[in-house]
């Protein structure tokens, strides 16, 4: 299963430039960040970083992130001076390599380590920050992932979760799916795009 997941996300890196997500929009991220930290500033996960820095009140030493992808949010923690070092865990070789490449390009390569493997089995270190940024919902057992996170924390450490809670595209009602696709139709007509539609498959009968 881990190999299959890694191969899926390897491909996801290659076609990343073709994808448009809600966090591609400054208007969306500004609205999101205002709810998180009180400041309507653009930037994916920026509100979480601001809130964490304010709550911690000090720079944190070492952080760890599971399912970090290309490590964009984790590099931002380093660049903002919120954490001194970051260890990333990934199943995708391509994503880990991209995280290393981007870290070197941004001058934080010596403070970011991207590992391939099962963090729940292989990680035995302790950290001042455990962060889940849009990756916790991918875990097969969220309770186990959270228990692992607490075990990894140093005394006085921080657990930061920025993730999606609520219905996903496989749980929406039919009328909700149709509404989403009507909005996407309008966007395509207005902008000449060809955005991916929400599928009508529903695992809940």
């Amino acid at each position: 299963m881990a190999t299959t997941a890694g191969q899926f996300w390897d491909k996801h890196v290659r076609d990343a430039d073709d994808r448009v997500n809600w966090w591609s929009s400054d208007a969306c991220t500004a609205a999101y960040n205002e709810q998180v930290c009180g400041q309507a500033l653009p930037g994916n996960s920026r509100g979480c970083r601001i809130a964490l820095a304010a709550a911690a009140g000090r720079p944190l030493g070492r952080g760890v992130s599971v399912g970090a992808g290309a490590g964009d949010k984790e590099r931002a923690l380093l660049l903002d001076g919120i954490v001194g070092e970051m260890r990333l865990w990934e199943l995708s070789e391509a994503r880990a390599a991209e995280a290393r490449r981007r870290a070197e390009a941004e001058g934080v390569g010596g403070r970011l380590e991207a590992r391939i493997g099962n963090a729940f089995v292989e990680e035995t270190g302790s950290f001042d920050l455990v962060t889940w940024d849009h990756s916790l919902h991918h875990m097969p057992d969220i309770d186990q992932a959270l228990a692992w996170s607490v075990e990894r924390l140093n005394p006085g450490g921080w657990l930061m979760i920025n993730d999606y809670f609520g219905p996903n595209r496989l749980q929406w009602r039919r009328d909700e799916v149709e509404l989403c696709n009507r909005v996407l139709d309008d966007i395509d007509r207005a902008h000449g795009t060809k955005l991916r539609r929400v599928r009508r498959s529903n695992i809940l009968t």
Side-chain angles (χ1 to χ4, degrees):
M1 181 175 173
T3 301
T4 302
Q7 291 170 346
F8 171 83
W9 289 110
D10 281 346
K11 181 180 182 300
H12 220 58
V13 172
R14 288 193 292 272
D15 59 22
D17 292 339
D18 299 328
R19 292 175 59 82
V20 176
N21 295 294
W22 67 266
W23 54 84
S24 305
S25 163
D26 285 348
C28 286
T29 57
Y32 186 90
N33 290 332
E34 185 173 24
Q35 295 298 311
V36 175
C37 73
Q39 299 180 53
L41 300 171
N44 189 14
S45 301
R46 189 174 180 186
C48 291
R49 295 193 301 276
I50 292 170
L52 173 64
R58 61 183 173 87
L60 302 173
R62 298 175 66 225
V64 65
S65 178
V66 178
D72 293 338
K73 279 87 80 174
E74 292 77 9
R75 290 193 322 280
L77 286 165
L78 294 171
L79 291 165
D80 289 352
I82 297 169
V83 66
E85 300 176 9
M86 281 300 303
R87 176 174 292 166
L88 282 51
W89 282 94
E90 251 302 319
L91 297 176
S92 164
E93 294 275 0
R95 286 191 154 210
E98 184 64 13
R100 294 184 200 105
R101 186 192 68 75
R102 293 181 188 180
E104 287 295 336
E106 293 174 352
V108 293
R111 297 193 288 136
L112 182 142
E113 177 188 11
R115 292 187 174 183
I116 304 296
N118 184 340
F120 303 130
V121 174
E122 299 175 50
E123 182 58 79
T124 58
S126 60
F127 301 88
D128 302 303
L129 172 67
V130 177
T131 178
W132 294 90
D133 203 306
H134 291 92
S135 58
L136 184 59
H137 67 273
H138 289 289
M139 298 301 110
D141 187 332
I142 291 175
D143 289 337
Q144 185 253 343
L146 290 174
W148 175 91
S149 300
V150 172
E151 290 169 1
R152 298 277 68 80
L153 281 177
N154 289 324
W158 288 84
L159 170 61
M160 182 173 71
I161 301 171
N162 179 31
D163 213 321
Y164 177 84
F165 292 90
N168 61 34
R169 63 175 174 77
L170 296 178
Q171 296 170 328
W172 283 342
R173 299 188 314 263
R174 179 62 62 93
D175 61 317
E176 292 174 325
V177 171
E178 290 173 351
L179 176 60
C180 288
N181 286 329
R182 284 201 300 273
V183 170
L184 292 169
D185 288 341
D186 290 343
I187 292 171
D188 278 356
R189 280 193 293 272
H191 299 285
T193 54
K194 292 184 179 179
L195 298 175
R196 185 173 51 182
R197 295 302 185 266
V198 178
R199 294 199 301 266
R200 292 183 177 176
S201 59
N202 193 330
I203 59 173
L204 303 178
T205 58

